[in-house]
Every structure is written in structure tokens, then in C-alpha cells.
Amino acid sequence: MSEINVTPFVDVMLVLLIVFMVSAPLLTVGVPIDLPQSQAKALGQNNEPLTISVSVDGKVYLQKDEIKLDDLVAKLKAVIDARGGNPNDLIYVRGDKHVDYGTMMRVMGRISGAGYHRVALVTEVEQSGQ
């Protein structure tokens, strides 16, 4: 018999598809933040985007690690040096919709002071009728 039986191959592929569909939502950034909604279109992503999150109680996170606001400039400059001295990388800022404006502006000022000038604010897609 010279025909290839593809049934086991299809079975394995379906199992892998289900595994990846279940595990993909678990791979998102781990700081729980209630993002505001917007109608803006998503931007293209870098290989590994740098994300700063501000939680509802004003805590600042660089990726998943909590840092003090005063240490943010030094950490961001260290990231620029580690990535080859290119401050033109895009940095994502996630802020809970209940964080006060002053806290977000202090974070944005620190980011600008570290040398980053391409900043994207992360929102959720706005649902129609809200």
C-alpha cells in the first residue's frame, strides 16, 4: 500500500491547536489593569515591546516588575544601553482608567526624560453603543 495515512497527523495538529488556543491568553502582560476604550487602530509591534503599566493605586511596573517612580529614568536608560543605544524604540504605556491625570503625566515625563520620544498609549477597543 503506497498511500500515506494522514489521520494521525490531523489528530496531532488539532490537539496542538487546542493547546495553543488555551495557553495564548495566559501569555499576556501580568499586571491587571482596567484599560480605557478607544477607536484608534493598533500600531505595529517591535520584536519585544517595552511596556510600562500604572495600576489603579499608582504603582508603576516596568514589564512585570514593580519599580519606584524615581527609579524609572535610570531603568529606562539602562534598557536603552542594553538594546544598543536606540531611543527610537516604541514604548507602550498602560494605565488604569481610574489613575489620576497627574500620575500619568509624571510617568510620561520620566519616559521623556529617559530619552524615549515614541510613546504609545494602550487602550482596549471601544465597544459600539457605549
Side-chain angles (χ1 to χ4, degrees):
M1 185 169 176
S2 64
E3 296 175 7
I4 297 174
N5 187 2
V6 296
T7 304
F9 176 72
V10 172
D11 290 343
V12 169
M13 295 307 291
L14 289 174
V15 168
L16 287 175
L17 177 67
I18 292 170
V19 166
F20 286 121
M21 287 174 56
V22 169
S23 65
L26 303 175
L27 299 175
T28 59
V29 178
V31 180
I33 291 182
D34 187 15
L35 294 173
Q37 296 180 346
S38 171
Q39 293 180 350
K41 294 184 180 181
L43 298 172
Q45 288 186 329
N46 296 343
N47 293 338
E48 183 182 346
L50 186 62
T51 305
I52 295 180
S53 304
V54 182
S55 64
V56 69
D57 54 356
K59 293 181 181 176
V60 178
Y61 297 86
L62 180 60
Q63 299 296 75
K64 294 181 181 180
D65 302 324
E66 182 179 351
I67 62 171
K68 294 182 181 180
L69 186 59
D70 296 332
D71 297 338
L72 185 59
V73 174
K75 296 266 186 182
L76 289 176
K77 286 186 178 182
V79 169
I80 289 175
D81 293 339
R83 290 188 174 188
N86 186 10
N88 291 328
D89 287 341
L90 186 61
I91 186 168
Y92 294 96
V93 177
R94 302 170 67 235
D96 193 279
K97 65 182 174 183
H98 298 291
V99 173
D100 71 74
Y101 185 74
T103 302
M104 286 304 294
M105 288 302 102
R106 280 193 292 278
V107 170
M108 297 287 286
R110 299 293 198 295
I111 294 169
S112 179
Y116 282 92
H117 301 294
R118 295 186 62 215
V119 177
L121 300 176
V122 179
T123 62
E124 290 180 345
V125 176
E126 186 175 27
Q127 303 297 322
S128 60
Q130 288 185 356

